[in-house]
Each structure stands twice: as C-alpha cells, then as structure tokens.
Amino acid sequence: MSIQPSSRKPRVAVVFGGRSSEHAISVLTAGAVLSAVDRDKYDVLPIGITSDGRWALTADDPSRMAISDRTLPSVAQLAESEEGSVVLPVDPASREVVYSEPGSVPKALGDVDVVFPVLHGPYGEDGTLQGLLELSGVPYVGSGVLASAVGMDKEYMKRVFTSFGLPVGPYAVIRPREWENDPAAARRKVVEFAADHGWPVFVKPARAGSSMGISKVDDLAGLDEAIEEARRHDPKVLVESLLRGREIECGVLEFEDGPRASVPAEIPPVTAHDFYDFEAKYIDSAEGLVPAPLTAEQTAEVQRLAVAAFEAASCEGLVRADFFLLDSGEFVINEINTMPGFTPISMYPRMWRESGVDYPELVDRLIQAALRRPTGLR
C-alpha cells in the first residue's frame, strides 16, 4: 500500500533520455514504462533529457518511443518545445516542478511524489541524478548514489565483488593518463595480460552499458583501434579475458521482505554477430531463453549469487546480474545493471514475467518500493 499524505493519486515523473551514448535505449525503456504505468493509480509526468542536457517536457506518447525502420528515437523528437525547460525542486520542502520558456512566465506543473529514472549510462544511472534527487528530497526508483556509481564503474564493481568473495573474471584497466601519456606502456600492460590469460581479449568502456563501444581483439594489431573506440564512450578502458561458457542472467527485485531473485535466463550464441553487441541486443533482437536450461542446483546457485551481488553493492529496487557459466561448472559474475532495460525485448521484465510478476506489476512494485523508502542516509 502506498504511503501518501492525501487522497490524490501519487505523481510519477518518468525521466529518460540523457547525455550518455545510451540515450536512445533510455527512450525505448521510457516508452515501455509509460505504457505499463497504471493511470488509474498514478498520475504521470514524462520528462526527457536531451543529448545536450536540457530537461524537456515531452509528449506522453509511448508509440513514438520505439525503433522505426532501424532508426532509434530521441528526446529531441518528443520535446514539446525546442527551448522550454523543466526544473526540478532543489528545496526538500517543495516537490513542485516548474516549466519555463524564454519570454514566458514560468508555469508550475505540480508536485512530484516519486521519480522513475530510466536513464542508462553516465549522467543518469551512475549516481549523478540520484545525488540531485537526494538533495531535492524526492524519492526515486532504484539504487542510491553509491550503488549506482559502483554499478556503473566496472572496475570498482569488480573490486567490491572481490572484497565480498564473489567470483569475477580476470581484467586489466587502462586509465586515461596511461593512454594519453604513455600509450606504449598501456599496450605492454595488455600484452602482459594476454600472455597470462590468452587472446582474444574484450576491450570496453569502464563506465558504459548496452554493449556500447565493445571490441573483441584477437591480437596486438587491433588493440589501438579498440581502445580508441572504447574511449569514445569513456576515457577509462577495461580489458577482460575471454571466458568460455554460457551467458546467464538473473533479475533481482526488492520486495517488502527484501530482495528476491527471478528465474534465470540464457543468452544463446548469436550466430550473426561476433558477440552479444549493441545491434544483437536492440536492432536484431537476439532472443534469450527464459527460463535458462539449468539444473535445479545451478539455478539456485545463480540466484544466490545474484542476491549476494545486490547486497554487496548496497543496491535497492532492482538489478539485473549477468554471469558466465564456465565450462568448469563455476559461475563468474560479469556485471550488474542497476537500471536494466525495460524494452519489450529486455531480459529483466521477461525473467520476472516467467517468475510470476507481469510487466504492470513489476513497474508498480518498483514505484511502491520507492515511495516506502526515504531519501537521505538509510
């Protein structure tokens, strides 16, 4: 039951888009969430953040937030004005949202009770927006500042998991100054890493998602190009060894009595792609197996590890945990996503649907968990 001071419906601001390279994926997610929110139970205010950072009032039209002819949507296409901007409150005593346009008197849009931030990547999923909402005293769906930052930075995510005794694969980090000041030394680091763990290696942005900027590198000849591609998304680069095994995912959702794990899913090998990259995920709609064909023991173990990862990073609300099931039979955590995709083909809602929580209930549970949870230290 929602904890509200008045009889009016709680107002949910769905914030999407953003400045990261995952802008379009966020728009897709917002379209799905807006379609699923119970309008008899909640008032909804869609707010899009353009690629250059402007907060815009947008059309509440999920049909325009979809891939059309392999073209990705954007907030700029949905904004009601090319110059108008939305301002969230910065005073915890007020939750009133204001809309203004040049030459016009600012217009109050009413109070917001909870924010559903469906942004992916930096400037939204990484703790920055969460910090703004903490300062404003506005409840929000999902993890707080620390967990969001840890979940976005794959280096520190792995460090946290290792400190809790959770299994992670081999990796190396190329920091911005290393590549900028001494690229030869950075190359040697990767060569030494490959000498220990073998080629090929995967080169990826340390703080990005949706398989953006990832390259599979078979030898030294392709390394520089792969590093530069990763650095288009993030100046810090992660290098990981190839782990031979099956790709398994598991969802975690916060219930009233604590986090629970969904049935797991498996991402089968994508024959048309070298690995599970952006196009395989979103353009060509690679199909996952839900539930994953695992033994009862394997299912229980990956569910245990998913909840343990959720707890280790101090997550809240939801997480999708991604694993490799190695040929040896061991599970290794690849990463967690503190705001996984909610597109119609996304694995997180599919796993929970198979676990008995359909899409509208999933969205409702996330909103209710946010309304129950105070901002600030907790």
Side-chain angles (χ1 to χ4, degrees):
M1 179 180 293
S2 173
I3 303 171
Q4 293 298 318
S6 68
S7 59
R8 70 174 178 84
K9 292 188 289 187
R11 197 148 193 242
V12 181
V14 178
V15 180
F16 62 97
R19 294 162 55 190
S20 83
S21 54
E22 297 176 75
H23 177 98
I25 306 308
S26 176
V27 178
L28 296 175
T29 296
V33 170
L34 288 168
S35 296
V37 173
D38 184 348
R39 304 307 177 100
D40 293 329
K41 189 172 183 179
Y42 304 105
D43 286 327
V44 177
L45 177 66
I47 300 173
I49 302 177
T50 63
S51 296
D52 60 4
R54 179 172 63 92
W55 290 50
L57 195 61
T58 67
D60 185 5
D61 186 356
S63 67
R64 295 170 57 194
M65 303 177 184
I67 297 174
S68 177
D69 297 326
R70 299 177 72 89
T71 300
L72 294 166
S74 71
V75 169
Q77 299 166 351
L78 299 162
E80 295 191 354
S81 165
E82 293 183 359
E83 295 183 302
S85 61
V86 174
V87 179
L88 285 182
V90 292
D91 180 359
S94 170
R95 293 183 180 176
E96 186 172 73
V97 176
V98 175
Y99 177 73
S100 63
E101 290 192 57
S104 300
V105 176
K107 180 173 64 175
L109 299 179
D111 289 356
V112 165
D113 297 292
V114 62
V115 170
F116 200 135
V118 293
L119 295 104
H120 304 302
Y123 311 110
E125 191 182 352
D126 59 349
T128 50
L129 177 62
Q130 290 75 15
L132 172 63
L133 295 172
E134 291 286 352
L135 290 172
S136 303
V138 179
Y140 54 93
V141 169
S143 290
V145 175
L146 174 65
S148 297
V150 167
M152 178 56 42
D153 191 312
K154 294 177 177 62
E155 176 195 358
Y156 287 97
M157 179 197 309
K158 293 175 187 292
R159 289 181 182 273
V160 167
F161 290 159
T162 299
S163 73
F164 277 83
L166 300 175
V168 303
Y171 67 97
V173 178
I174 300 175
R175 302 185 185 283
R177 282 195 294 272
E178 290 181 274
W179 185 248
E180 293 158 8
N181 297 340
D182 194 349
R187 290 187 201 98
R188 284 196 299 273
K189 177 188 282 191
V190 178
V191 170
E192 292 168 1
F193 177 81
D196 290 335
H197 303 289
W199 298 95
V201 298
F202 286 92
V203 177
K204 60 178 65 174
R207 296 162 292 193
S210 299
S211 297
M212 292 282 192
I214 300 180
S215 301
K216 182 181 177 183
V217 180
D218 294 313
D219 51 44
L220 185 60
L223 181 61
D224 281 27
E225 182 180 355
I227 291 174
E228 290 298 343
E229 171 60 21
R231 282 172 53 84
R232 287 181 54 239
H233 302 271
D234 183 357
K236 184 165 77 166
V237 175
L238 196 74
V239 179
E240 295 177 329
S241 63
L242 172 66
L243 296 178
R244 300 187 183 280
R246 299 160 61 187
E247 293 189 48
I248 306 295
E249 299 183 349
C250 189
V252 180
L253 178 63
E254 181 182 346
F255 286 74
E256 289 82 356
D257 59 352
R260 302 180 197 173
S262 70
V263 300
E266 179 171 5
I267 308 299
V270 186
T271 56
H273 299 263
D274 202 19
F275 59 95
Y276 194 41
D277 61 5
F278 177 85
E279 288 218 348
K281 275 185 180 179
Y282 295 104
I283 304 299
D284 293 333
S285 303
E287 194 69 25
L289 304 175
V290 188
L294 300 170
T295 67
E297 292 77 11
Q298 289 171 330
T299 295
E301 176 64 3
V302 76
Q303 289 175 325
R304 181 190 72 80
L305 288 170
V307 172
F310 182 97
E311 299 280 34
S314 297
C315 295
E316 295 169 294
L318 72 165
V319 149
R320 194 193 73 231
D322 301 345
F323 299 85
F324 290 107
L325 175 55
L326 305 184
D327 294 340
S328 64
E330 178 190 9
F331 281 103
V332 170
I333 300 177
N334 182 34
E335 64 180 38
I336 58 171
N337 281 266
T338 56
M339 185 52 70
F342 274 76
T343 68
I345 61 170
S346 294
M347 299 306 297
Y348 185 84
R350 288 184 58 197
M351 288 187 287
W352 277 108
R353 185 166 62 245
E354 288 293 322
S355 304
V357 181
D358 65 16
Y359 200 108
E361 182 186 351
L362 179 61
V363 170
D364 183 64
R365 282 191 171 277
L366 290 169
I367 294 171
Q368 289 297 318
L371 287 168
R372 288 193 303 270
R373 192 168 57 236
T375 55
L377 297 177
R378 53 189 182 273

